[in-house]
Tab-separated table of all heavy atoms in Angstrom:
chain	number	residue	atom	x	y	z
C	67	SER	N	98.070	-98.772	-2.424
C	67	SER	CA	97.200	-99.904	-2.380
C	67	SER	C	97.669	-100.866	-1.300
C	67	SER	O	98.822	-100.833	-0.874
C	67	SER	CB	97.170	-100.668	-3.745
C	67	SER	OG	98.491	-101.131	-4.021
C	68	VAL	N	96.728	-101.724	-0.873
C	68	VAL	CA	97.189	-102.783	0.044
C	68	VAL	C	97.734	-103.949	-0.777
C	68	VAL	O	98.739	-104.577	-0.410
C	68	VAL	CB	96.057	-103.199	0.968
C	68	VAL	CG1	94.881	-103.876	0.295
C	68	VAL	CG2	96.581	-104.123	2.076
C	69	GLY	N	97.127	-104.193	-1.967
C	69	GLY	CA	97.615	-105.293	-2.788
C	69	GLY	C	98.914	-104.934	-3.514
C	69	GLY	O	99.137	-103.763	-3.797
C	92	LEU	N	91.655	-99.530	4.199
C	92	LEU	CA	90.558	-99.745	3.268
C	92	LEU	C	89.568	-100.894	3.625
C	92	LEU	O	88.705	-101.254	2.846
C	92	LEU	CB	91.083	-99.984	1.845
C	92	LEU	CG	92.352	-100.739	1.620
C	92	LEU	CD1	92.276	-102.136	2.060
C	92	LEU	CD2	92.861	-100.533	0.230
C	229	ARG	N	90.860	-110.083	-6.081
C	229	ARG	CA	91.595	-109.842	-7.338
C	229	ARG	C	90.943	-110.775	-8.387
C	229	ARG	O	90.554	-111.908	-8.083
C	229	ARG	CB	93.077	-110.223	-7.205
C	229	ARG	CG	93.918	-109.169	-6.538
C	229	ARG	CD	93.991	-107.852	-7.320
C	229	ARG	NE	94.879	-106.882	-6.701
C	229	ARG	CZ	94.472	-105.862	-5.888
C	229	ARG	NH1	93.166	-105.767	-5.575
C	229	ARG	NH2	95.355	-105.004	-5.414
C	276	HIS	N	86.518	-101.862	-10.031
C	276	HIS	CA	87.501	-101.870	-8.959
C	276	HIS	C	87.308	-100.643	-8.038
C	276	HIS	O	88.213	-99.833	-7.867
C	276	HIS	CB	88.957	-101.896	-9.538
C	276	HIS	CG	89.923	-102.430	-8.536
C	276	HIS	ND1	91.049	-103.177	-8.914
C	276	HIS	CD2	90.042	-102.378	-7.207
C	276	HIS	CE1	91.759	-103.520	-7.893
C	276	HIS	NE2	91.145	-103.025	-6.785
C	279	SER	N	87.880	-99.571	-2.655
C	279	SER	CA	88.415	-98.606	-1.674
C	279	SER	C	88.026	-97.168	-2.101
C	279	SER	O	88.537	-96.201	-1.518
C	279	SER	CB	89.928	-98.707	-1.628
C	279	SER	OG	90.556	-98.465	-2.821
C	285	ARG	N	90.506	-93.241	0.182
C	285	ARG	CA	91.602	-92.911	-0.755
C	285	ARG	C	92.522	-91.851	-0.190
C	285	ARG	O	93.735	-91.877	-0.434
C	285	ARG	CB	91.022	-92.479	-2.073
C	285	ARG	CG	90.364	-93.654	-2.888
C	285	ARG	CD	91.426	-94.535	-3.490
C	285	ARG	NE	90.894	-95.780	-3.941
C	285	ARG	CZ	90.260	-96.035	-5.103
C	285	ARG	NH1	90.071	-95.044	-5.954
C	285	ARG	NH2	89.833	-97.227	-5.372
C	288	MET	N	94.668	-93.810	2.226
C	288	MET	CA	95.680	-94.639	1.523
C	288	MET	C	96.842	-93.794	1.038
C	288	MET	O	98.017	-94.132	1.147
C	288	MET	CB	95.021	-95.326	0.343
C	288	MET	CG	94.030	-96.427	0.797
C	288	MET	SD	92.945	-96.961	-0.560
C	288	MET	CE	94.066	-97.900	-1.617
J	1	LIG	C1	94.078	-102.422	-3.039
J	1	LIG	O1	94.433	-101.486	-2.280
J	1	LIG	O2	94.844	-103.375	-3.292
J	1	LIG	C2	92.778	-102.286	-3.661
J	1	LIG	O3	92.446	-103.285	-4.471
J	1	LIG	C3	92.638	-100.954	-4.338
J	1	LIG	O4	91.275	-100.596	-4.224
Side-chain angles (χ1 to χ4, degrees):
S67 61
V68 66
L92 35 66
R229 283 294 183 264
H276 203 147
S279 60
R285 288 284 164 83
M288 290 165 73

